[in-house]
Amino acid sequence: MSKDAITKDFEAAVGADNVMTSETDRHAYSYDAAVLDSVMPALVVRPTTSEALGKATKLCNDNGLPLTVRGAGTNLSGGTIPHPGGVVVLTNGLNRILEINEEDMYAVVEPGVVTAKFAAEVAKRGLFYPPDPGSQTVSTLGGNVAENAGGLRGLKYGVTKDYVMGMDFWDVNGELVKSGSRTVKCVTGYNLAGLMVASEGTLGVFDKIILKLIPPAQSAKSMMAIFPSMKAASETVAAIIANKIVPATLEMMDNFTIRTVENFRGAGLPVDAAALLLIEVDGHPAQVADEAAKVEDLCRKNGATELKVAKDAAERDAVWQARRDALPALAKLKPTCVLEDATVPRSKIPAMIEALDEISKKFDLTIGTFGHAGDGNLHPTILTDKRDKKEWERVEHAIDEIFDRALALGGTLSGEHGIGMAKSKYLEQETSRATLEYSRRMKSVLDPKGILNPGKIIGPKSEG
């Protein structure tokens, strides 16, 4: 079928105003937040109804057109970079919160709902949706589910998968598949909703998502602990967890990141500190007081030179805004910013911090390190210029070594950013050949023509 004929079919399915063919429009959706080359799609479509989404999915399959679903494009692993000649299906026209049930504590949403807006609406009802990825002000819930996004609260509250109760999704034939329930317990059939989490658009197209909500904590206390070395800070993290204390958040920043953030916003951070821990405990007021006292004691015993406790909500917000400023502040320093998220067991954080320092020196690269230290999910951020071919070659070798060291410590390639295109070549290294082949066989059955986001997670062999 000719391109003009296919375009007309999509216009009939989603509306002429929701089909984009100009080079400018297509270029806007040819890349995402990953440091990878852009790829121009043939078409960009924007369904605004469930029915239109199903029709668009079926049209892609019927015509053998690669389909890449895109929320906000904030992922950092190339999960929404389209396939050559493919179709980008946008979800920003499917942005309704369909239900917030206060009595049974769940919500039903379309995939294009923005994460922070959803959390705010839930909070108005006296409920809490914990997952808070760094991109939450623009990222979508569908994208969060597709990548199994985490965030600062992952240590205590878990990640996106822990809040997915069920979903409806379109298979490649345009049939609506339903899995899960609005009930707390549901073991009806295979856990297909669970299979869709972290699938990065390779197995189905999300239509509606059922999300668990919880009551908010009654009280919280935030504090900043200042350390004379990254080693002391990382050992404190291990000590806090070893003492069976699970803060709501436990974040780390190295000196380079501290200075960069302070220059970025003027948050009042101690620029002479070698490292910071940003810590929040929450729960019942008595529990908060007890755990905060224990955390302060452990910080001091492990070498903290100073502890600052937020006196009010404004100071608390300033502490966490400083942490959220880390990536945008670092990204301003060089043309290319490579944010990794290799994750290790929490007891191995001191060893991983030491490894990152060695790698930075070995390859003569500037690496700012921050991240979710409490759950072992560090974000070594390499500042470089991809146009400098010699330096970029060193960056690629450094990334290889970061993954090697993380895996040697019993860690994983990605704690929250996903595999996408950027890390697919390392997948067998962490898992096994059998795992890779099992995954490919599964995809080949669910997506015989290989149209669903080809090349992601399991590599190009997944293409039919």
Side-chain angles (χ1 to χ4, degrees):
M1 189 181 295
S2 70
K3 182 178 178 180
D4 286 345
I6 291 174
T7 300
K8 288 179 180 179
D9 282 348
F10 276 105
E11 289 175 345
V14 305
D17 291 343
N18 293 312
V19 177
M20 291 162 262
T21 59
S22 74
E23 184 174 355
T24 300
D25 285 333
R26 291 184 293 120
H27 178 71
Y29 302 106
S30 66
Y31 59 92
D32 57 22
V35 186
L36 296 170
D37 293 336
S38 60
V39 177
M40 287 282 277
L43 290 173
V44 178
V45 301
R46 183 179 179 269
T48 57
T49 67
S50 170
E51 181 184 19
L53 180 63
K55 287 180 177 179
T57 302
K58 187 176 188 304
L59 270 172
C60 286
N61 191 57
D62 288 349
N63 291 281
L65 296 172
L67 183 163
T68 298
V69 180
R70 181 186 178 102
T74 57
N75 85 89
L76 292 152
S77 56
T80 49
I81 293 178
H83 196 72
V87 177
V88 171
V89 176
L90 303 178
T91 63
N92 58 6
L94 297 160
N95 55 12
R96 295 179 301 161
I97 299 173
L98 301 173
E99 180 184 2
I100 297 177
N101 190 303
E102 298 173 44
E103 186 177 15
D104 291 321
M105 294 195 296
Y106 71 81
V108 183
V109 300
E110 292 183 321
V113 174
V114 173
T115 312
K117 289 182 179 178
F118 172 68
E121 287 300 317
V122 166
K124 291 176 184 178
R125 313 292 184 90
L127 293 169
F128 183 37
Y129 180 70
D132 60 338
S135 58
Q136 63 178 340
T137 57
V138 289
S139 69
T140 63
L141 292 169
N144 292 173
V145 173
E147 297 284 348
N148 192 21
L152 276 65
R153 302 188 189 111
L155 168 60
K156 180 174 182 177
Y157 289 103
V159 295
T160 301
K161 70 177 181 180
D162 301 303
Y163 296 87
V164 176
M165 298 172 67
M167 73 167 68
D168 296 354
F169 62 91
W170 296 100
D171 70 8
V172 291
N173 299 310
E175 298 290 340
L176 192 62
V177 181
K178 300 187 177 187
S179 176
S181 171
R182 290 163 169 78
T183 59
V184 174
K185 296 178 179 178
C186 174
V187 291
T188 305
Y190 292 117
N191 183 12
L192 300 180
L195 180 64
M196 291 296 121
V197 176
S199 64
E200 300 185 19
T202 63
L203 301 176
V205 177
F206 305 161
D207 184 73
K208 295 179 184 66
I209 306 164
I210 308 170
L211 295 170
K212 178 177 73 174
L213 307 174
I214 64 174
Q218 296 178 36
S219 178
K221 181 177 282 191
S222 294
M223 63 194 80
M224 177 192 300
I226 301 168
F227 290 87
S229 69
M230 282 289 279
K231 184 173 186 293
S234 59
E235 288 175 347
T236 302
V237 172
I240 290 170
I241 301 302
N243 276 270
K244 310 299 187 292
I245 300 168
V246 183
T249 49
L250 178 48
E251 300 288 306
M252 177 184 286
M253 296 168 66
D254 68 2
N255 176 259
F256 182 77
T257 306
I258 294 166
R259 288 185 286 110
T260 303
V261 170
E262 185 61 21
N263 289 334
F264 179 74
R265 189 180 291 272
L269 298 181
V271 294
D272 294 331
L276 289 181
L277 290 182
L278 304 175
I279 309 162
E280 180 165 292
V281 292
D282 70 356
H284 187 278
Q287 176 191 5
V288 169
D290 179 59
E291 290 190 346
K294 290 178 180 177
V295 167
E296 289 183 41
D297 183 56
L298 286 167
C299 286
R300 295 188 194 281
K301 284 181 177 178
N302 282 275
T305 57
E306 187 178 355
L307 277 113
K308 298 181 178 181
V309 178
K311 298 182 182 67
D312 52 35
E315 287 192 7
R316 175 177 178 261
D317 291 345
V319 166
W320 297 113
Q321 185 58 53
R323 164 59 185 83
R324 293 190 185 281
D325 282 341
L327 178 57
L330 289 167
K332 288 188 67 176
L333 298 183
K334 284 287 190 80
T336 309
C337 173
V338 183
L339 178 70
E340 286 302 341
D341 79 322
T343 303
V344 296
R346 292 171 290 200
S347 62
K348 303 298 183 183
I349 288 175
M352 192 65 202
I353 291 292
E354 185 177 341
L356 291 171
D357 185 54
E358 292 172 3
I359 291 167
S360 174
K361 292 173 180 175
K362 177 179 178 180
F363 294 103
D364 189 24
L365 294 169
T366 300
I367 302 179
T369 298
F370 64 96
H372 318 304
D375 54 28
N377 184 195
L378 298 175
H379 291 317
T381 305
I382 305 173
L383 304 180
T384 183
D385 186 342
K386 195 175 181 181
R387 296 168 298 184
D388 184 335
K389 293 183 180 180
K390 289 185 178 180
E391 183 171 85
W392 186 249
E393 186 176 340
R394 299 201 308 276
V395 169
E396 292 181 320
H397 288 310
I399 292 170
D400 289 343
E401 193 152 327
I402 288 171
F403 292 147
D404 287 344
R405 299 292 282 271
L407 293 178
L409 290 170
T412 183
L413 296 170
S414 178
E416 60 187 7
H417 292 171
I419 299 301
M421 296 169 64
K423 299 178 185 178
S424 62
K425 68 177 182 178
Y426 304 102
L427 194 60
E428 185 177 341
Q429 184 180 349
E430 177 175 343
T431 58
S432 68
R433 166 60 57 173
T435 301
L436 203 54
E437 292 304 323
Y438 186 95
S439 301
R440 286 173 174 157
R441 289 197 302 273
M442 177 181 67
K443 178 167 170 62
S444 70
V445 171
L446 298 175
D447 179 20
K449 295 182 180 179
I451 66 142
L452 292 176
N453 216 11
K456 312 307 191 297
I457 303 181
I458 53 178
K461 286 185 180 180
S462 66
E463 298 168 30

